[in-house]
Amino acid sequence: MKVFKFGGASVNSVERIKNMAEIMRQYNGEKLMVIVSAMGKTTNALEKVTKAFCDGHKDEALFLFEQLKQQHLTTAKYLLVTNYLSCEVQLKDFFTEVEWLLHDKPVREYDYYYDQVVCAGELFSTSIVSHYLNEKGIANKWIDARDIIRTDDDFRDAVIDWKFTMNQVQNMIVPLFQENNIILTQGFIGATDENESTTLGREGSDYTAALFANMLDAESQTIWKDVESVMNADPKQFPGAVAIEELNYNEVIEMAYYGAQVIHPKTIKPLQNKGIPLYVKCFLDPSLKGTIIHDKPVHGLPPIIVLKENQVLLEMSSMDFSFVGEQHVSHLYHLMEKLHVKPNLTQNGAISFLCVIDEWPEKIEKLALEASSFLDVQVTKGLSLLTIRHYNKEIFEYLTQKKTILLRQQTPETIQVLLQQNRMDEIQNN
């Protein structure tokens, strides 16, 4: 049995959904667990719906949601003939779930409403894809992932209840494979024990696929993307990026830790625990070799470049020139945990603590305000964090030539530098 995950780009148009069906047809007769993300920019659009609702703009939220409804119904109309009416009925049930909430007034925290609204994107896309595959003779069984994946109530970054979820997989999914070759469900979403929808963090569909691969003892997992393979850099940022045909789990975990967007950070461990290989393949040209990720040593890797833009530097120092000790640092990490802020780089000096984080204005303001009660705080925005793994002198000097480095940190394998964002623009234009 194999696990496939198709991202939003692979189902963001009528043509690409048809292309997905052709890929699936090549695996006729095989047992497949298929995880599908929301279409294209649907998640971003649903985030705007959530924000409008939480800001008290109910009419705007309903208007934005109506646009999404029509987009999905139009896609279904172009794809379906015999299965359109049944798909429409299912879609309207999902629409009602969200609209029922939007007609109310927000009385809970933003993250709760985010999960209730945003999870709908995966439900919309999988309904359309499942009906289309069935219409084209690629028989599949649609299931709601929220009936399988149990989580806590840490909305927007929920933690899986492994024991409960494993029981659901064994009791619900495994029996379905006795009568179905293909089971299709959503990535990214789960539910609490009170049936409140949760999400597993952005790009969490890869993680969902890895959970199913682990719990079903799959022979492999494949992530279908719009790139030919894992690259040594984001080709949109660095046009000279090269393909990497082979990686091991540890290297991919390091890449994810430093911000590479190809594989979700939590995806690898469930696969590594059972030695399940992960393939990254191109849905635009399935004949390309792609990348295989496994547990074997890999040598001779090129420099791997990760650029994170829109970074913020928080410089925090003691008010009386005393040492910044464990108590100060512990308090800071407690604040970051409370605000769900994950530092991308930290550096501890005698009287200072430096922290580089993503630019989330509300969270930065809260963190800086609370930290200023016991430390002096300075905030610098508009920065970029450049990380190079397997660096050499030539590549480092090329990417940083004539640039002002604000912060530098390195190990024998990895070097990180913090630069002004406009300086990175110059690098990419060289």
Side-chain angles (χ1 to χ4, degrees), residues 79-100:
L79 283 167
L80 301 169
V81 181
T82 57
N83 284 352
Y84 176 75
L85 290 179
S86 60
C87 181
E88 182 185 40
V89 168
Q90 188 177 37
L91 286 173
K92 286 184 175 179
D93 285 342
F94 298 142
F95 296 159
T96 300
E97 266 191 60
V98 177
E99 288 173 324
W100 177 81

mmCIF file of all heavy atoms in Angstrom, residues 79-100:
data_model
loop_
_atom_site.group_PDB
_atom_site.id
_atom_site.type_symbol
_atom_site.label_atom_id
_atom_site.label_comp_id
_atom_site.label_asym_id
_atom_site.label_seq_id
_atom_site.Cartn_x
_atom_site.Cartn_y
_atom_site.Cartn_z
ATOM 1 N N LEU A 79 -16.168 19.926 -14.287
ATOM 2 C CA LEU A 79 -15.587 18.592 -14.203
ATOM 3 C C LEU A 79 -16.618 17.477 -14.277
ATOM 4 O O LEU A 79 -16.337 16.404 -14.821
ATOM 5 C CB LEU A 79 -14.809 18.440 -12.894
ATOM 6 C CG LEU A 79 -13.426 19.083 -12.806
ATOM 7 C CD1 LEU A 79 -12.953 19.108 -11.363
ATOM 8 C CD2 LEU A 79 -12.428 18.332 -13.676
ATOM 9 N N LEU A 80 -17.796 17.704 -13.708
ATOM 10 C CA LEU A 80 -18.723 16.609 -13.446
ATOM 11 C C LEU A 80 -19.966 16.661 -14.325
ATOM 12 O O LEU A 80 -20.453 17.737 -14.688
ATOM 13 C CB LEU A 80 -19.154 16.636 -11.978
ATOM 14 C CG LEU A 80 -18.019 16.519 -10.945
ATOM 15 C CD1 LEU A 80 -18.535 16.833 -9.549
ATOM 16 C CD2 LEU A 80 -17.393 15.128 -10.991
ATOM 17 N N VAL A 81 -20.494 15.488 -14.610
ATOM 18 C CA VAL A 81 -21.773 15.355 -15.304
ATOM 19 C C VAL A 81 -22.699 14.508 -14.441
ATOM 20 O O VAL A 81 -23.576 15.017 -13.762
ATOM 21 C CB VAL A 81 -21.595 14.734 -16.709
ATOM 22 C CG1 VAL A 81 -22.952 14.626 -17.405
ATOM 23 C CG2 VAL A 81 -20.630 15.581 -17.554
ATOM 24 N N THR A 82 -22.488 13.203 -14.434
ATOM 25 C CA THR A 82 -23.373 12.311 -13.681
ATOM 26 C C THR A 82 -23.252 12.492 -12.171
ATOM 27 O O THR A 82 -24.209 12.244 -11.434
ATOM 28 C CB THR A 82 -23.079 10.843 -14.043
ATOM 29 O OG1 THR A 82 -21.699 10.562 -13.776
ATOM 30 C CG2 THR A 82 -23.375 10.578 -15.509
ATOM 31 N N ASN A 83 -22.095 12.910 -11.695
ATOM 32 C CA ASN A 83 -21.873 13.025 -10.244
ATOM 33 C C ASN A 83 -22.025 14.448 -9.718
ATOM 34 O O ASN A 83 -21.763 14.702 -8.540
ATOM 35 C CB ASN A 83 -20.482 12.508 -9.873
ATOM 36 C CG ASN A 83 -20.397 10.992 -9.888
ATOM 37 O OD1 ASN A 83 -21.415 10.322 -10.030
ATOM 38 N ND2 ASN A 83 -19.194 10.452 -9.739
ATOM 39 N N TYR A 84 -22.461 15.379 -10.583
ATOM 40 C CA TYR A 84 -22.504 16.769 -10.121
ATOM 41 C C TYR A 84 -23.489 16.983 -8.975
ATOM 42 O O TYR A 84 -23.166 17.636 -7.980
ATOM 43 C CB TYR A 84 -22.847 17.739 -11.264
ATOM 44 C CG TYR A 84 -22.984 19.148 -10.736
ATOM 45 C CD1 TYR A 84 -21.855 19.891 -10.390
ATOM 46 C CD2 TYR A 84 -24.240 19.721 -10.514
ATOM 47 C CE1 TYR A 84 -21.970 21.167 -9.861
ATOM 48 C CE2 TYR A 84 -24.358 21.001 -9.991
ATOM 49 C CZ TYR A 84 -23.215 21.706 -9.657
ATOM 50 O OH TYR A 84 -23.331 22.971 -9.112
ATOM 51 N N LEU A 85 -24.686 16.454 -9.093
ATOM 52 C CA LEU A 85 -25.702 16.735 -8.078
ATOM 53 C C LEU A 85 -25.305 16.195 -6.708
ATOM 54 O O LEU A 85 -25.496 16.873 -5.686
ATOM 55 C CB LEU A 85 -27.052 16.145 -8.511
ATOM 56 C CG LEU A 85 -27.727 16.836 -9.700
ATOM 57 C CD1 LEU A 85 -29.036 16.139 -10.054
ATOM 58 C CD2 LEU A 85 -27.984 18.314 -9.390
ATOM 59 N N SER A 86 -24.739 14.993 -6.663
ATOM 60 C CA SER A 86 -24.314 14.446 -5.368
ATOM 61 C C SER A 86 -23.150 15.252 -4.789
ATOM 62 O O SER A 86 -23.069 15.463 -3.573
ATOM 63 C CB SER A 86 -23.925 12.980 -5.496
ATOM 64 O OG SER A 86 -22.859 12.809 -6.411
ATOM 65 N N CYS A 87 -22.262 15.733 -5.663
ATOM 66 C CA CYS A 87 -21.160 16.584 -5.201
ATOM 67 C C CYS A 87 -21.698 17.902 -4.664
ATOM 68 O O CYS A 87 -21.259 18.384 -3.615
ATOM 69 C CB CYS A 87 -20.178 16.835 -6.351
ATOM 70 S SG CYS A 87 -18.751 17.843 -5.888
ATOM 71 N N GLU A 88 -22.667 18.485 -5.360
ATOM 72 C CA GLU A 88 -23.259 19.748 -4.926
ATOM 73 C C GLU A 88 -23.901 19.611 -3.544
ATOM 74 O O GLU A 88 -23.758 20.494 -2.693
ATOM 75 C CB GLU A 88 -24.300 20.208 -5.941
ATOM 76 C CG GLU A 88 -24.935 21.554 -5.592
ATOM 77 C CD GLU A 88 -26.047 21.910 -6.551
ATOM 78 O OE1 GLU A 88 -26.823 21.010 -6.946
ATOM 79 O OE2 GLU A 88 -26.171 23.098 -6.907
ATOM 80 N N VAL A 89 -24.586 18.507 -3.315
ATOM 81 C CA VAL A 89 -25.221 18.277 -2.009
ATOM 82 C C VAL A 89 -24.156 18.245 -0.907
ATOM 83 O O VAL A 89 -24.320 18.870 0.149
ATOM 84 C CB VAL A 89 -26.027 16.957 -2.016
ATOM 85 C CG1 VAL A 89 -26.445 16.569 -0.596
ATOM 86 C CG2 VAL A 89 -27.257 17.100 -2.898
ATOM 87 N N GLN A 90 -23.052 17.534 -1.153
ATOM 88 C CA GLN A 90 -21.994 17.445 -0.151
ATOM 89 C C GLN A 90 -21.334 18.799 0.075
ATOM 90 O O GLN A 90 -21.088 19.212 1.223
ATOM 91 C CB GLN A 90 -20.947 16.409 -0.556
ATOM 92 C CG GLN A 90 -19.913 16.129 0.550
ATOM 93 C CD GLN A 90 -18.926 15.044 0.168
ATOM 94 O OE1 GLN A 90 -18.524 14.945 -0.991
ATOM 95 N NE2 GLN A 90 -18.528 14.234 1.140
ATOM 96 N N LEU A 91 -21.059 19.517 -1.007
ATOM 97 C CA LEU A 91 -20.455 20.839 -0.875
ATOM 98 C C LEU A 91 -21.347 21.781 -0.072
ATOM 99 O O LEU A 91 -20.868 22.529 0.793
ATOM 100 C CB LEU A 91 -20.169 21.441 -2.251
ATOM 101 C CG LEU A 91 -18.980 20.869 -3.029
ATOM 102 C CD1 LEU A 91 -18.945 21.446 -4.436
ATOM 103 C CD2 LEU A 91 -17.671 21.141 -2.304
ATOM 104 N N LYS A 92 -22.644 21.745 -0.341
ATOM 105 C CA LYS A 92 -23.556 22.641 0.374
ATOM 106 C C LYS A 92 -23.610 22.331 1.865
ATOM 107 O O LYS A 92 -23.806 23.229 2.689
ATOM 108 C CB LYS A 92 -24.947 22.584 -0.259
ATOM 109 C CG LYS A 92 -24.996 23.310 -1.602
ATOM 110 C CD LYS A 92 -26.402 23.348 -2.197
ATOM 111 C CE LYS A 92 -26.424 24.193 -3.472
ATOM 112 N NZ LYS A 92 -27.779 24.246 -4.092
ATOM 113 N N ASP A 93 -23.424 21.066 2.234
ATOM 114 C CA ASP A 93 -23.334 20.721 3.661
ATOM 115 C C ASP A 93 -22.117 21.393 4.293
ATOM 116 O O ASP A 93 -22.197 21.926 5.405
ATOM 117 C CB ASP A 93 -23.238 19.204 3.831
ATOM 118 C CG ASP A 93 -24.568 18.504 3.608
ATOM 119 O OD1 ASP A 93 -25.615 19.184 3.666
ATOM 120 O OD2 ASP A 93 -24.558 17.281 3.392
ATOM 121 N N PHE A 94 -21.002 21.371 3.567
ATOM 122 C CA PHE A 94 -19.791 22.020 4.083
ATOM 123 C C PHE A 94 -19.950 23.536 4.118
ATOM 124 O O PHE A 94 -19.485 24.202 5.052
ATOM 125 C CB PHE A 94 -18.576 21.632 3.242
ATOM 126 C CG PHE A 94 -18.258 20.163 3.238
ATOM 127 C CD1 PHE A 94 -17.812 19.537 2.088
ATOM 128 C CD2 PHE A 94 -18.417 19.407 4.381
ATOM 129 C CE1 PHE A 94 -17.520 18.187 2.076
ATOM 130 C CE2 PHE A 94 -18.124 18.044 4.388
ATOM 131 C CZ PHE A 94 -17.680 17.437 3.225
ATOM 132 N N PHE A 95 -20.591 24.103 3.095
ATOM 133 C CA PHE A 95 -20.847 25.549 3.089
ATOM 134 C C PHE A 95 -21.660 25.948 4.321
ATOM 135 O O PHE A 95 -21.372 26.955 4.978
ATOM 136 C CB PHE A 95 -21.627 25.949 1.835
ATOM 137 C CG PHE A 95 -20.914 25.725 0.530
ATOM 138 C CD1 PHE A 95 -21.638 25.626 -0.660
ATOM 139 C CD2 PHE A 95 -19.538 25.614 0.465
ATOM 140 C CE1 PHE A 95 -20.995 25.429 -1.874
ATOM 141 C CE2 PHE A 95 -18.890 25.411 -0.747
ATOM 142 C CZ PHE A 95 -19.625 25.312 -1.914
ATOM 143 N N THR A 96 -22.666 25.143 4.630
ATOM 144 C CA THR A 96 -23.545 25.454 5.767
ATOM 145 C C THR A 96 -22.771 25.445 7.081
ATOM 146 O O THR A 96 -23.024 26.267 7.967
ATOM 147 C CB THR A 96 -24.706 24.444 5.831
ATOM 148 O OG1 THR A 96 -25.448 24.528 4.612
ATOM 149 C CG2 THR A 96 -25.630 24.744 6.996
ATOM 150 N N GLU A 97 -21.809 24.514 7.201
ATOM 151 C CA GLU A 97 -20.974 24.458 8.413
ATOM 152 C C GLU A 97 -20.336 25.816 8.687
ATOM 153 O O GLU A 97 -20.325 26.305 9.822
ATOM 154 C CB GLU A 97 -19.853 23.423 8.239
ATOM 155 C CG GLU A 97 -20.145 22.040 8.764
ATOM 156 C CD GLU A 97 -18.898 21.178 8.780
ATOM 157 O OE1 GLU A 97 -17.917 21.547 9.463
ATOM 158 O OE2 GLU A 97 -18.886 20.134 8.108
ATOM 159 N N VAL A 98 -19.782 26.413 7.642
ATOM 160 C CA VAL A 98 -19.074 27.682 7.803
ATOM 161 C C VAL A 98 -20.061 28.837 7.947
ATOM 162 O O VAL A 98 -19.889 29.705 8.815
ATOM 163 C CB VAL A 98 -18.127 27.926 6.606
ATOM 164 C CG1 VAL A 98 -17.443 29.283 6.729
ATOM 165 C CG2 VAL A 98 -17.091 26.811 6.515
ATOM 166 N N GLU A 99 -21.087 28.865 7.137
ATOM 167 C CA GLU A 99 -22.032 29.982 7.175
ATOM 168 C C GLU A 99 -22.777 30.057 8.508
ATOM 169 O O GLU A 99 -23.070 31.153 9.002
ATOM 170 C CB GLU A 99 -23.019 29.861 6.013
ATOM 171 C CG GLU A 99 -22.371 30.165 4.669
ATOM 172 C CD GLU A 99 -23.296 29.889 3.501
ATOM 173 O OE1 GLU A 99 -24.068 28.921 3.568
ATOM 174 O OE2 GLU A 99 -23.234 30.646 2.521
ATOM 175 N N TRP A 100 -23.055 28.914 9.078
ATOM 176 C CA TRP A 100 -23.691 28.899 10.394
ATOM 177 C C TRP A 100 -22.841 29.656 11.405
ATOM 178 O O TRP A 100 -23.338 30.425 12.223
ATOM 179 C CB TRP A 100 -23.893 27.449 10.840
ATOM 180 C CG TRP A 100 -24.479 27.301 12.214
ATOM 181 C CD1 TRP A 100 -25.787 27.394 12.565
ATOM 182 C CD2 TRP A 100 -23.756 27.029 13.421
ATOM 183 N NE1 TRP A 100 -25.930 27.207 13.922
ATOM 184 C CE2 TRP A 100 -24.706 26.972 14.470
ATOM 185 C CE3 TRP A 100 -22.415 26.814 13.719
ATOM 186 C CZ2 TRP A 100 -24.348 26.724 15.796
ATOM 187 C CZ3 TRP A 100 -22.056 26.567 15.044
ATOM 188 C CH2 TRP A 100 -23.018 26.526 16.047
#
